[in-house]
Amino acid sequence: MKKAKRFLAVLLMLMLLAPLVSSCSKAEAYLTYKDSVIPDYAYRYWFASNKRYFIEKYSDIEDTAECWNKKIASEDGSEITTGEYLEKYTLENAKSIVCELQMFKEYDLKLDDAAVEKVDTYISELVKYRYEDSKSAFNKALKEAYGINMDQLREILLMEKKAQVLPVGAWSASTAMRSVCAANNCSASSSLPSRMPQNLIHSIRARGPLS
């Protein structure tokens, strides 16, 4: 009888934990190319960072609906809103990264220990000096700012490192890959409102670097 009760208690605990585990671990793929993926949380992180970059770089840009809805001339001479331009800028950079990640795999490259250590040191120093050595406080700040956790930040930073270490001969191939992406062989998910830039503009706050 005691064993049965204990088994039921363990079973109940597992049932309660299951949705928590799945919700924490599940991430939607926002951008895919071959077998390389940019998860949705990485795109949101870059979008928030780029939004802050635009606000700081351009004196006439403010974080207001009026500003993001303002029409500007694009590179091809057509008119787009400032918000649409920001989304295009972020999406093109994300396409470059996903292509470079694919090249990283196809060249069978590995990040050296120093590169990984640099990312880990950066994160640990943020936790230690800006969040009083509290990982829970840091995770809370990341969630509020970007909707991510510390492990996801580490993954994003490692993706950026991988995109930076392609050998010289790989860059021309990577450029060709980006052309393929531009021809819509690089698929963007509809899980984010990617075709509704004004919704995305107002749903993701501008965030700068964490350091």
Side-chain angles (χ1 to χ4, degrees), residues 73-193:
S74 65
E75 292 89 342
D76 61 6
S78 61
E79 278 197 342
I80 59 174
T81 67
T82 307
E84 288 170 335
Y85 180 79
L86 172 57
E87 188 187 3
K88 180 181 178 182
Y89 176 88
T90 305
L91 181 58
E92 290 306 312
N93 283 343
K95 283 183 176 182
S96 293
I97 291 175
V98 77
C99 289
E100 287 152 6
L101 290 176
Q102 183 62 31
M103 291 298 298
F104 188 90
K105 289 182 179 180
E106 293 184 5
Y107 275 76
D108 197 25
L109 299 175
K110 303 289 183 184
L111 281 180
D112 59 36
D113 293 341
V116 176
E117 184 180 357
K118 188 173 183 179
V119 168
D120 289 337
T121 299
Y122 169 71
I123 292 174
S124 63
E125 288 183 350
L126 280 176
V127 174
K128 182 176 181 179
Y129 297 112
R130 291 180 62 87
Y131 295 92
E132 299 180 347
D133 216 14
S134 171
K135 290 182 179 180
S136 60
F138 185 49
N139 272 318
K140 182 180 178 181
L142 286 173
K143 183 177 180 181
E144 291 175 352
Y146 302 103
I148 63 175
N149 58 41
M150 193 163 61
D151 290 337
Q152 290 170 332
L153 174 64
R154 183 177 187 271
E155 184 181 346
I156 292 168
L157 297 178
L158 289 176
M159 281 193 290
E160 293 175 347
K161 287 289 184 186
K162 289 177 182 179
Q164 295 168 3
V165 299
L166 291 180
V168 175
W171 284 106
S172 58
S174 178
T175 301
M177 273 194 174
R178 287 196 291 272
S179 298
V180 173
C181 281
N184 295 322
N185 288 319
C186 186
S187 59
S189 166
S190 59
S191 59
L192 290 180

